[in-house]
């Protein structure tokens, strides 16, 4: 049942993408924008319900746990974080112009694991290292940061390929630059908290705060990239293309930390 709900949320995210795109093509026609936001919010609610159902199903199997422990669960939670953070930004900034570029990331995150037969959605008992309350704190903080970085990535791509013209209904470059900065400034404290909670959890599980495991090393590299972004903006006054490219590089490092390390490198996090 939970998988069906996750798939339904994926469909809703892609449907919202189409509506957001039509909203842009129609030069931000209000009714299309409202419909896009409503469908996107519905997808988020279904995504949330899917997590609740998955938890209850694990409880029935006798090993209740927060469903944030494997690649399938992390990808559907990544989708939840992207859309949740985006809808907060949409509400706070009062614009739906970027939904067409962000909403598909939510749908794509679920599609990757739903359509990949090598990634199992089966509920399984947690391995001993994951049987800790630090699991929830670590994963939630990391992925809220990842979700914000995904938004910055999408906005930066739009910035790079938008050109200097009017860009139709797409926000001007200055607004895109500012939004990318806000998203990274939002996500950076969560990434920092995720690394700290991960270190505490590592000490609890493995007896050391830091072991230079590939996942730990790459999370630190990612942290330095975004720290450089914020440092360059605050102290060197960087804006525009250089920061847009740094945001794109940062998201590449984020994805390698999250996804690539699991498949390319081996280490203590290989179960993730």
């Amino acid at each position: 049942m939970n998988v069906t709900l996750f798939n339904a949320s994926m469909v809703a995210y892609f449907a919202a993408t189409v509506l957001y795109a039509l909203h842009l093509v129609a030069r931000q026609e209000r009714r299309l924008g409202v419909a896009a936001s409503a469908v996107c919010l519905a997808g988020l609610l279904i995504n949330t319900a899917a997590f609740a159902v998955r938890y209850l199903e694990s409880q029935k199997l006798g090993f209740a746990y927060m469903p944030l422990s494997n690649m399938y669960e992390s990808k559907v939670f990544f989708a939840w974080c992207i859309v949740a953070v985006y809808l907060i930004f949409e509400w706070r900034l009062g614009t739906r112009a970027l939904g067409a570029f962000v909403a598909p990331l939510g749908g794509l995150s679920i599609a990757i694991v739903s359509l990949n037969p090598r990634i199992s959605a089966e509920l399984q008992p947690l391995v001993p290292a994951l049987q800790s309350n630090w699991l929830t704190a670590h994963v939630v903080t990391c992925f809220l940061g990842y979700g914000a970085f995904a938004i910055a990535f999408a906005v930066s791509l739009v910035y790079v390929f938008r050109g200097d013209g009017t860009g139709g209904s797409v926000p001007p470059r200055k607004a895109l630059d500012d939004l990318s900065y806000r998203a990274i400034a939002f996500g950076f404290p969560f990434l920092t908290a995720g690394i700290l909670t991960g270190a505490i959890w590592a000490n609890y599980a493995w007896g050391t705060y830091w072991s230079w495991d590939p996942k730990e090393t790459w999370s630190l590299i990612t942290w330095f990239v975004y720290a450089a972004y914020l440092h360059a903006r605050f102290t060197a006054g960087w804006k525009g293309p250089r920061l847009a490219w740094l945001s794109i590089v940062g998201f590449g490092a984020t994805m390698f930390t999250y996804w690539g390390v699991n498949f390319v490198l081996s280490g203590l996090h290989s179960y993730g």
Side-chain angles (χ1 to χ4, degrees):
M1 180 63 182
N2 72 86
V3 174
T4 301
L5 288 173
F6 282 126
N7 289 339
S9 65
M10 174 188 67
V11 172
Y13 294 151
F14 283 132
T17 300
V18 174
L19 289 169
Y20 277 123
L22 292 174
H23 170 65
L24 267 185
V25 171
R27 296 201 171 266
Q28 304 198 33
E29 202 277 329
R30 186 177 180 280
R31 286 174 297 180
L32 282 171
V34 171
S37 297
V39 172
C40 197
L41 179 61
L44 183 67
L45 294 176
I46 296 170
N47 201 339
T48 306
F51 276 107
V53 170
R54 190 169 178 88
Y55 173 80
L56 293 173
E57 289 178 350
S58 71
Q59 193 175 44
K60 284 184 180 179
L61 292 172
F63 48 85
Y65 71 99
M66 292 299 292
L68 302 168
S69 67
N70 55 41
M71 183 56 74
Y72 179 83
E73 292 164 352
S74 69
K75 289 295 285 183
V76 294
F77 184 61
F78 185 35
W80 188 94
C81 289
I82 292 171
V83 175
V85 175
Y86 167 72
L87 287 175
I88 292 172
F89 272 71
E90 181 182 287
W91 170 63
R92 290 294 301 271
L93 300 178
T95 178
R96 300 183 174 95
L98 297 170
F101 308 101
V102 178
L105 297 180
L108 187 61
S109 183
I110 299 177
I112 287 172
V113 288
S114 294
L115 302 177
N116 189 339
R118 293 186 301 174
I119 298 178
S120 173
E122 183 182 356
L123 282 162
Q124 293 181 340
L126 294 178
V127 298
L130 298 180
Q131 294 174 7
S132 167
N133 291 329
W134 287 106
L135 168 67
T136 303
H138 175 59
V139 174
V140 169
T141 49
C142 279
F143 277 87
L144 283 173
Y146 291 177
F149 298 153
I151 293 170
F153 166 73
V155 171
S156 297
L157 278 183
V158 175
Y159 181 98
V160 169
F161 292 106
R162 181 189 185 284
D164 294 324
T166 60
S169 299
V170 178
R173 274 188 152 188
K174 184 177 183 304
L176 295 172
D177 181 69
D178 185 60
L179 180 56
S180 176
Y181 157 68
R182 289 179 184 227
I184 290 173
F186 178 90
F188 187 72
F190 284 108
L191 175 63
T192 304
I195 292 173
L196 291 175
T197 53
I200 296 171
W201 181 20
N203 187 55
Y204 171 81
W206 300 318
T208 178
Y209 288 100
W210 197 267
S211 56
W212 296 106
D213 175 78
K215 182 81 81 174
E216 296 172 349
T217 303
W218 272 94
S219 67
L220 190 60
I221 291 171
T222 301
W223 188 91
F224 275 119
V225 172
Y226 286 113
Y229 177 104
L230 294 173
H231 179 75
R233 179 145 182 142
F234 279 122
T235 63
W238 278 26
K239 288 187 178 180
R242 288 183 294 183
L243 282 189
W245 281 110
L246 193 54
S247 168
I248 293 169
V249 170
F251 190 67
T254 301
M255 286 297 93
F256 189 77
T257 301
Y258 167 38
W259 181 271
V261 165
N262 295 65
F263 296 99
V264 178
L265 305 172
S266 61
L268 295 171
H269 290 78
S270 58
Y271 51 79

